[in-house]
Amino acid sequence: MSLVDTACVGQIGSLQLASLSPNTAIFNLVFQVFAFLGIATTSVFASKAARGVTAEEHSQQKQVCSTLMSNALTLAVVCGVLCTVVMELVPVTLLTWMGASPDMMSHALTYFRIRALACPAVMVMCVCQGAFLGQQDAWTPLKVFVAAGLINLVGDWYLILQAGTGVAGAAWATLFAQYAGALMFLVRTC
């Protein structure tokens, strides 16, 4: 989604475009640190699905997977909320560490503060993707990510290029797309 934001924000000005760079670095770092949520979920679900089981064992495994999914989603939300809180407490420091100059700080800070609110949604999407991949279903994550990407594209096009909201519009479009993706996953998970 950062690529779509970059393409649309690049249409309005180089300072706004430059303000996305430290943001992209921070969000990529944070989401990679928490990639273990999806990897562990994939591993657990795959190991449960790999065993040949009787109908009774299948019922027990389904209950275990349900509990594991509940725990993984809870952990994802907690980690996402904690990341959001930390990021909202020290945004200027984080952006400065990643190279944001004073002249771009207002744009970078606007994008950062809005986009940080999406951390729980991104981590929920990571867990759900892991659960589907662990069950050998790659189509569901593909469909969800394509839909979320299209939502972001349309949101960026409208908010940035039509409504003129600049980097704030890019952040809101991404935030909305990521929560929409998390909701799509959760609907398919239940």
Side-chain angles (χ1 to χ4, degrees), residues 149-164:
L150 290 172
I151 290 168
N152 187 51
L153 178 64
V154 170
D156 275 354
W157 172 81
Y158 178 75
L159 292 173
I160 298 168
L161 303 176
Q162 303 303 310

Side-chain angles (χ1 to χ4, degrees), residues 4-73:
V4 173
D5 290 350
T6 300
C8 291
V9 169
Q11 302 298 310
I12 59 173
S14 59
L15 187 60
Q16 292 86 346
L17 179 60
S19 72
L20 293 184
S21 180
N23 278 291
T24 300
I26 292 167
F27 289 109
N28 285 345
L29 173 67
V30 169
F31 299 147
Q32 286 302 312
V33 166
F34 288 95
F36 74 89
L37 292 168
I39 295 166
T41 306
T42 302
S43 176
V44 169
F45 273 76
S47 69
K48 297 293 180 199
R51 299 180 188 145
V53 295
T54 66
E56 183 179 321
E57 290 173 326
H58 179 70
S59 176
Q60 290 172 344
Q61 283 186 354
K62 191 171 182 174
Q63 180 60 37
V64 168
C65 286
S66 177
T67 301
L68 289 170
M69 187 65 174
S70 176
N71 292 341
L73 286 171

Side-chain angles (χ1 to χ4, degrees), residues 38 41-42 45 69 126-137 189:
T41 306
T42 302
F45 273 76
M69 187 65 174
C126 190
V127 165
C128 291
Q129 177 186 18
F132 281 102
L133 292 176
Q135 297 174 71
Q136 299 180 336
D137 177 2
T189 301

Side-chain angles (χ1 to χ4, degrees), residues 1 4-5 125 142-156 173-174 177-178 180-181 184:
M1 293 189 200
V4 173
D5 290 350
M125 288 174 69
L142 177 65
K143 289 185 250 181
V144 169
F145 283 111
V146 166
L150 290 172
I151 290 168
N152 187 51
L153 178 64
V154 170
D156 275 354
T174 301
Q178 289 173 326
M184 285 183 263

Side-chain angles (χ1 to χ4, degrees), residues 80-93:
V81 169
L82 288 175
C83 279
T84 298
V85 168
V86 168
M87 292 169 88
E88 292 290 346
L89 289 174
V90 290
V92 174
T93 302

